[in-house]
Structures are given as structure tokens and as C-alpha cells.
């Protein structure tokens, strides 16, 4: 998922450099959403992975 966020960030940087402000803003928004979803999923996997290991 972080790969997708990085891809949208690169798209936003290229679009901003070429002067496409609307596309750049949209790509940055998508990149932010994907990044925060990836962070939340990572934290949840750490929490539930820790619970699973303790019960063994």
C-alpha cells in the first residue's frame, strides 16, 4: 500500500511540475488517504499479531 501512496505522490509531483494543479491536488489527496490507511492497517497488524503470539 505504501507503494501506491508513493506512486500517487510521484504523479502529483510530475503534474505539479508540468502545471496541472487540479490533477496534482487530487493525486496528493489520494496519496494521503492511502498512506493513512496503510499506517492504520500496520498498527492493527502489530496489535493483533502481538495478541496471537502471547496466547501460544
Amino acid at each position: 500500500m505504501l507503494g501506491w501512496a508513493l506512486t500517487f505522490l510521484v504523479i502529483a509531483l510530475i503534474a505539479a511540475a508540468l502545471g496541472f494543479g487540479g490533477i496534482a491536488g487530487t493525486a496528493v489527496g489520494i496519496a494521503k488517504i492511502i498512506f493513512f490507511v496503510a499506517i492504520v492497517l500496520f498498527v492493527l497488524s502489530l496489535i493483533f499479531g502481538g495478541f496471537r503470539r502471547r496466547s501460544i
Side-chain angles (χ1 to χ4, degrees):
M1 250 190 186
L2 290 176
W4 282 99
L6 185 63
T7 301
F8 278 106
L9 183 62
V10 169
I11 290 171
L13 290 173
I14 292 171
L18 295 175
F20 298 109
I23 296 171
T26 303
V28 167
I30 293 171
K32 283 182 185 179
I33 291 169
I34 293 174
F35 177 75
F36 286 119
V37 168
I39 295 297
V40 168
L41 290 175
F42 175 70
V43 169
L44 288 175
S45 69
L46 284 178
I47 292 170
F48 290 119
F51 286 143
R52 186 182 330 161
R53 289 189 181 161
R54 290 181 188 164
S55 63
I56 292 177

